[in-house]
Amino acid sequence: MEKVIEVKNLELSFHTFAGEVKAIRGVNFEVNKGETLAIVGESGSGKSVTTKSIMRLLPESSTEFKNGEILFGGKDLLKISEKEMQKVRGKDISMIFQDPMTSLNPTMPIGRQIMEPLLKHQKLSKADARKKSIELLGLVGMPKPELRMKQYPHQFSGGQRQRIVIAVALACNPKLLIADEPTTALDVTIQGQILELMKDLQQKIDTSIIFITHDLGVVANVADRVAVMYGGQIVEVGTVDEIFYNPQHPYTWGLLSSMPSLDAAEDKLYAIPGTPPDLLAPPKGDAFALRSEYALKIDLEQTPPMFKVSDTHYAATWLLHPDAPQVDPPVGIVERMKTFPGSRYYTGNAGGAN
Amino acid sequence: MTKYITKRVVYMFLSLFLIASFTFILMKLLPGSPLASAAKLSVEQREVVYEKYGLNDPIPVQYVRYMGNLVQGDFGTSFQYKNVDVSYLIVKKLKYSAILGAQAIFVGTIIGIILGMIAALKQNTIWDYGSTIVAILGISIPSFVFAALLQYVFAVHWQILPVGLWDGWTSSILPSIALAMGPIAIAARFIRTEMIEVLSSDYIMLAKAKGANWFEIAFKHAFRNALIPLVTVLGPVAAGLLTGSLVVEQIFAIPGIGEQFVKSINSNDFSVIMGTTMFFSVFLIVIILIVDILYGIIDPRIRLAGGDK
Ligand SMILES: Nc1ncnc2c1ncn2[C@@H]1O[C@H](COP(=O)(O)OP(=O)(O)O)[C@@H](O)[C@H]1O
Ligand SMILES: [Mg+2]
């Protein structure tokens, strides 16, 4: 499969007054052509920083890239000049942010904001850029687009503004679209509409998407593959089915268990105990060990490597080591695993878990 | 919008009424009279003058009469200049003060904006510190110190500009610069803070993510958003200029309203003090009203919020 982008061994720190914040500690992933990769994890796990480093949008003065490369179109984005990077941003890679209420310029008509990347990257004439912008607004489902070109952001609702931001992002048919929690700030019904729109558009323009969220419920809906992030590292990666029905990392178990489900009778939601690690002084070994009831002794001493579960599924937990003791995941997770062919609890034809 | 403006204008007249009453009472509480320095007058002559100007009447009567005249636009006549209408006096002197004030606010604000932009775009560099120092000096050093300094350097030492009095436009240069220090400092600090805040906002991040270069970020996206709120400080700036002009006009012997005001206080010229006070008040209140309306016009969020309803 053709890789659109490949992040290799990314390690970066912020230098702050409190000290060095080791925000990203060795991240590897790739996004294939036409697929949607979801990155999930609690807030503070480094999802935004990872994607902002792809776009090189982090504050230059305090960010230190310590290691790694970001390969895109045969180039390492961390090595090219700022000028070259400006040609990538908005053209080959574009971005949608979390809060549509603040991501549009309040004193610029929205038409001009959509036209901007068209004028800049595609060198369209003003009239053509206008025409294309109206088309884009129609594409993202804005009624009467030509009348709304001259209006300012405050004249639109949150959902409409996010549609405008999506129109801006898609203006130049990017190869990669990064959506950083694009629905988190919206209410539930609007969330659904925006997700539908994104799925719909992805089919139409054939772009790859990195979809960031802390809400696993959204993931099942949009993603092909999922990367679970914790404490500046990716702890498990696999297809949606693998992550939902054959999860291996205790952190993924925790995330899945804390997902509200419609058929769950109990009204109390599970919450992962404890707090995310302090990235000023990240713990030794498996960063999740201190919050995990499944932690082994070695978890506190040595960082687990990525163990292979299948060709598409990897997880960084010592539980996958051949010498590790057999432990049973939480009941809810076992229930899920029973339906997944290839999991050790699969009951599909043989019946009976071992 | 019209409803809003009508309401504001009503409040404006209410404020003016209160200011006029208050100043009147203060004047009457002050010791001294317009004739205090005219020692040569006999008691009888004094009585005649007092009678003529109604100064012997009970204060409430004087008050009602004065306010009545004021409403009709009659500020009375000056005591220090024979038979000169206060309104004529104000109009005659206004020209000089207006030139100084307009130059100071125009040039000062532009220089301030430039300094503030440099400071924000080159944050925490020598440029930033330099412009911050200029701003702090401009705010903390009173304009009369600048006035004296400028006078010494340019008029006395190098003798390239007039020391004082009004002798054509060149006479306005030094006092205008002295007055401009305040607006420079206020605008520079304000724009720096606003720019830094705007530059860290989400829509600037999005503009960057669209591939904008730093010039487009700074001038197409950030500048307008940082500039709009600057309008709100124009009121305080104008007030600062007004008080500054009282002293600066005195130092440069510019025959403006500020100088006239000080002169009238020294000579207890009751009607001129009242007249200039009223003029200053109207000036400030109108400026503040204009600023508010202007803000509504240039900020699309307010403009349309008002227009829809
Ligand atoms: N500019 C910055 N300076 C210092 N620390 C930062 C900065 N940006 C992010 N961080 C830290 O990096 C970590 C990851 O943040 P982020 O990627 O925003 O998390 P999330 O997964 O919620 O998107 C957090 O601990 C955050 O405090
Ligand atoms: Mg985030």
Side-chain angles (χ1 to χ4, degrees), chain A residues 37-48:
Chain A
L37 172 74
I39 302 182
V40 297
E42 285 167 297
S43 88
S45 54
K47 307 179 298 287
S48 298

Side-chain angles (χ1 to χ4, degrees), chain A residues 246-254 257 270 292-296 317 319-320 324-338 343-346 352-354:
Chain A
N246 193 24
Q248 299 297 319
H249 198 286
Y251 180 62
T252 315
W253 297 345
S257 305
Y270 172 81
S292 168
E293 51 187 297
Y294 305 96
L296 307 171
T317 167
L319 293 176
L320 289 172
Q326 279 278 337
V327 299
D328 285 324
V331 190
I333 302 296
V334 172
E335 284 305 314
R336 288 167 170 272
M337 287 164 109
K338 281 182 182 164
S343 98
R344 60 191 155 107
Y345 298 99
Y346 183 55
N354 61 332

Side-chain angles (χ1 to χ4, degrees), chain A residues 3 11 66 153 161 167 204 223 228-229 235 261 279 287-288 303 342:
Chain A
K3 286 174 187 166
E11 245 178 89
K66 310 200 89 162
R161 288 193 214 187
K204 277 188 194 149
V228 179
M229 218 173 160
V235 294
S261 69
L279 296 174
F288 187 61
T303 310

Side-chain angles (χ1 to χ4, degrees), chain A residues 3 5-12 24-30 50 54 65-72 76 78-79 234:
Chain A
K3 286 174 187 166
I5 192 165
E6 199 174 357
V7 176
K8 282 185 174 170
N9 264 323
L10 185 67
E11 245 178 89
L12 78 82
I24 304 297
R25 306 182 300 134
V27 160
N28 290 282
F29 65 89
E30 73 274 326
T50 302
I54 293 176
F65 286 95
K66 310 200 89 162
N67 199 358
E69 41 193 23
I70 296 175
L71 301 175
F72 180 84
D76 181 354
L78 296 180
K79 298 234 164 60
I234 288 178

Side-chain angles (χ1 to χ4, degrees), chain A residues 52 55 57 86 89-90 95 97 99 102-108 112-113 116-117 120-121 152 154-155 168, chain B residues 201-203 205-214 216 220-222 224-225 228 299-301 303-305:
Chain A
K52 279 182 185 163
M55 288 288 258
L57 288 175
Q86 282 164 12
R89 294 190 195 117
M95 202 154 174
F97 294 102
D99 190 354
T102 54
S103 20
L104 291 166
N105 187 337
T107 59
M108 196 186 270
R112 265 184 69 199
Q113 302 193 49
E116 229 176 9
K120 190 168 176 79
H121 298 301
Y152 290 89
H154 71 271
Q155 292 168 282
V168 172
Chain B
S201 62
D202 284 357
Y203 59 86
M205 179 82 86
L206 188 73
K208 256 184 228 169
K210 280 159 48 173
N213 57 36
W214 82 266
E216 291 164 326
K220 262 167 99 177
H221 287 275
R224 188 180 156 99
N225 287 291
I228 286 174
D299 189 325
R301 280 161 298 188
R303 177 169 75 211
L304 282 134

